[in-house]
Amino acid sequence: MRLLPVVVTVLLAACGPSSSVDEHVGLVGDLDTSEAGITAFVREGRYTTWLAEPAPRDSVRSHGPKVRVFFNDVLVESMRAGNATHPPGSITVKELYDSEGRTLRGHALDVKVVEGAGKDTWIFFEGLGPDYGDNYYGRGHSTCHGCHEDSGRDYVATPLPE
Ligand code: HEC
């Protein structure tokens, strides 16, 4: 006799992030750049209409097995112009998937907050769902900036999808 499939009910946590650090940069474009603001932004998928890689693909060096990167218009325009540094309001979001590329597990986001060069011109964020309770968050975050300085132009490492 075969066993009936087990029906698993997944309850998505409705509560907000347990941490709420803030670099006090305020709004950059439409984005509230506090940790809570960025968490809400990625959770609600407010980036999903942006220019994006067509599908999850193998991650190059970090960020788990499969990823998909999105770029907002400000950043797209600046990358197309070949700028050495991107203007404030430039944002890129990286969706982090499981090894099959099906289940979205979390997000990384970089937002340029002031003009100029250097790690402190960016706020870096990375967190995992469903609760986003233990995020990386900070201006020039020490976990993020080294690799990104080496791998990219003004900390952006992924080429634009065309
Ligand atoms: C071990 C090196 C390494 C570390 C540490 C690292 N990254 Fe990345 N990251 C990369 C590379 C390489 C890419 C581009 C290649 C790829 O997408 O697979 C990338 C891509 C990204 C992207 C997509 C846009 C872009 O710049 O290409 C975001 C957003 C991002 N990382 C955020 C973060 C954040 C936030 C942290 C810190 C919590 C972090 N990264 C730490 C290497 C790293």
Side-chain angles (χ1 to χ4, degrees):
M1 184 187 175
R2 287 171 58 199
L3 292 173
L4 289 170
V6 178
V7 178
V8 180
T9 305
V10 179
L11 292 173
L12 292 176
C15 52
S18 56
S19 52
S20 58
V21 184
D22 192 355
E23 291 283 4
H24 298 289
V25 173
L27 283 178
V28 172
D30 291 340
L31 178 66
D32 165 0
T33 60
S34 69
E35 183 184 1
I38 293 176
T39 303
F41 181 87
V42 294
R43 265 183 152 168
E44 290 160 19
R46 279 190 256 150
Y47 59 84
T48 52
T49 57
W50 296 355
L51 180 68
E53 295 176 322
R57 43 100 182 155
D58 290 335
S59 174
V60 176
R61 231 180 121 186
S62 168
H63 305 286
K66 298 265 187 195
V67 297
R68 185 178 180 202
V69 178
F70 295 73
F71 306 79
N72 77 346
D73 288 348
V74 180
L75 181 57
V76 170
E77 208 176 296
S78 181
M79 289 175 79
R80 286 196 177 136
N83 293 336
T85 63
H86 302 303
S90 297
I91 308 174
T92 170
V93 173
K94 188 173 210 174
E95 291 184 332
L96 312 176
Y97 285 87
D98 67 348
S99 49
E100 274 82 53
R102 283 200 208 103
T103 308
L104 179 60
R105 297 180 58 236
H107 292 88
L109 179 149
D110 301 344
V111 50
K112 181 91 174 182
V113 293
V114 290
E115 289 286 350
K119 65 182 171 63
D120 293 332
T121 64
W122 291 91
I123 286 178
F124 295 90
F125 168 94
E126 188 167 330
L128 294 178
D131 60 342
Y132 294 85
D134 187 19
N135 306 315
Y136 297 91
Y137 168 84
R139 217 165 147 161
H141 197 289
S142 58
T143 305
C144 318
H145 77 81
C147 264
H148 276 256
E149 191 170 6
D150 296 345
S151 314
R153 170 176 281 205
D154 194 13
Y155 297 85
V156 180
T158 307
L160 280 181
E162 309 272 1

